Amino acid sequence: MEATVERLIDTGDRERLSRELHDGKYSTVASDIKTGWAYYAARLGKADMLRLLVERCHGMPLEKDAQGRNLLHAAAASGDRDTMAFALQVLGMDALAGDPQGITPLDIAAQTSPKALKALEELCGVRLADCYRNPVLRGFRPDPSIVRVGEDYYMINSSFVMVPALPISHSRDLVHWETIGHVFTDPDTAHLRGLNGGFGYWAPDISYYKGRFWVVATLHTAAVPVRTQMITSAPTPQGPWDSPKFLDVDGIDPSIFTDDDGKRYLVTNIGAQITPLSDEGDLLDAPRMIWYGWNRIKSEGPHLLKKDGWYYLFMAGGGTGFGHVESCARSRSIYGPYESCPFNPILGKKDEYAYIRRSGHGKPVQLPDGRWAFVYLCGRRVEEKTLMGRETALDPLEWTPDGWPMVNRLKGPSCLQKKLLPDVPVEQNEPWVCPRLSPESFSCIEADGSIRLQGGAELSDMADAHALLHRLREASVSLEATVDVRQMELGCTAGLTGYYDEHSYFLLGLRKTAQGADVVLRQHIGEEDMEETLCSVPGWQAKLRIEGRGLTFTASCAEAKGTKAFRCEYLTDEGLKMGKRFTGALVGLAAVGTGQAAFRNVREEMNDVQD
């Protein structure tokens, strides 16, 4: 029966297919098969046949096919303008909506032909060249806060126990970001020694007041009090930052709000509570709760905004997983009562096929021309898990005539979005980081680009592990280096690592022996340690390489034949039930033991899987 319908679609026999559908010949056929007919017609560019199938097959689920793509994806693959127009204009499909790999109909049209791309661009009113892709800050950049000063935008993100801590980025177009500094470079000043991987600095906020930049963040420790709020300021985002104050206020995710009359408030969660704040950043009163949240589940990330006489309170909820959403409430008085937005959540994606999910915890920013944007955290889907951690995305924010905010017109996080400002590219400068230690305390980068690491403790150690790491920014990664352990003691190891925290990592290392060196793959997963010797090499150096595509990694050594593939679910947020799993995976170099290891010809490449 399927072949009969497909043959009628092939030949374009609309009259016969219409008659058979009208007579109920296919009334007992499953809806997924009927959906398959629609996608078949769309891929062939048979607009009339597609229209007929949609009109006559009532209840046909049109939104997604088995690949998680909509009918406009299929129509774009045909390149037929009429078919694309029907899917876009009549069926309401979105040309910027991504499939589970983040590929949009505009991307498909570009792959099909220049003519197909031009046709779809004209139909949807957006040029692919005028778009950007989310996330805009990729890899382990959660909890964004943003401030605009003139035409410059400054962003800060959580860093947990990584040093340097609390990275600050700069942009002039909201898409291209350059890391320009950190609030802390000294782990002792930052009080990060000995903390678990998910502890440290949470959800910072950056603001501007009377010529100075202000940062507040929660410091989460194992001591009492467990949570305090750190506050500091500086004349520029690059610093120097004042010695931090620690405010005895419970809760998490602080931000600073300045009212029209110049009064300042510290806004924290436990619901949302505010505390009057002096110009010097001291507490003036006790905290007072003003709103408990829209869904009343793990409310976090509160930010206040004053607009048109209303106090708008933006706040996330639902936990840090796939149920994460953003909501809003407003009041004429800062102390409330607050009215919940009638279409909460204003951001959040429940689509099981979505590439970008767990979106929320955001902050609005106004552009110089009066338009608004919203930065927020999100997580990209990699084999149903979150490998790159929570990242930072950007979407337009618009206001309804009665004064309620809408992020991306309530369509959820975008994969592809029209640029808000002209491009201002910046130099990519991903900084090296290390858990709890300053990278400069054990590493040295030579003039020729080679890197030397002093050996340290096992990577499971929360005090003295020596790892030089970059955030994993894409699901496809390769890292290679010639590793030299001649200046290390026997039995010591140095090599390439994939690292999440002290509970979960791997090390492809060169272990020094009396005869030369063994290439070993060590995996630490929770309380389990696994080690495998892949080969032995003469001398004390070898070229090692790791390649990752999704959750499958491959280890290899240039001096030996063969590769070793292994799975790395344990590098994802969901991959292990131990500790606080909402940071992100990193890759880099590590040295374990006594002595010094050298890394030459270090090469790193990261690409989006769709590339």
Side-chain angles (χ1 to χ4, degrees), residues 305-366:
L305 167 71
K306 184 81 172 287
K307 181 180 183 293
D308 301 330
W310 289 99
Y311 293 91
Y312 289 91
L313 179 55
F314 293 83
M315 191 157 66
T320 60
F322 292 125
H324 195 68
V325 294
E326 182 77 15
S327 59
C328 182
R330 71 181 183 185
S331 172
R332 288 293 187 184
S333 166
I334 192 169
Y335 285 104
Y338 280 81
E339 175 192 5
S340 180
C341 177
F343 39 80
N344 274 334
I346 61 171
L347 176 67
K349 193 94 169 185
K350 296 182 180 179
D351 181 358
E352 62 177 314
Y353 292 105
Y355 175 57
I356 296 180
R357 298 186 282 187
R358 61 191 305 187
S359 53
H361 195 121
K363 184 179 179 181
V365 63
Q366 189 174 24

Side-chain angles (χ1 to χ4, degrees), residues 69-113:
R69 294 181 172 181
N70 64 39
L71 270 171
L72 187 53
H73 282 92
S78 77
D80 181 73
R81 184 186 183 92
D82 290 342
T83 308
M84 291 189 286
F86 178 71
L88 181 74
Q89 298 169 352
V90 178
L91 300 181
M93 302 300 172
D94 187 355
L96 305 183
D99 70 1
Q101 285 73 47
I103 299 172
T104 70
L106 272 179
D107 295 319
I108 297 294
Q111 296 167 12
T112 302
S113 70

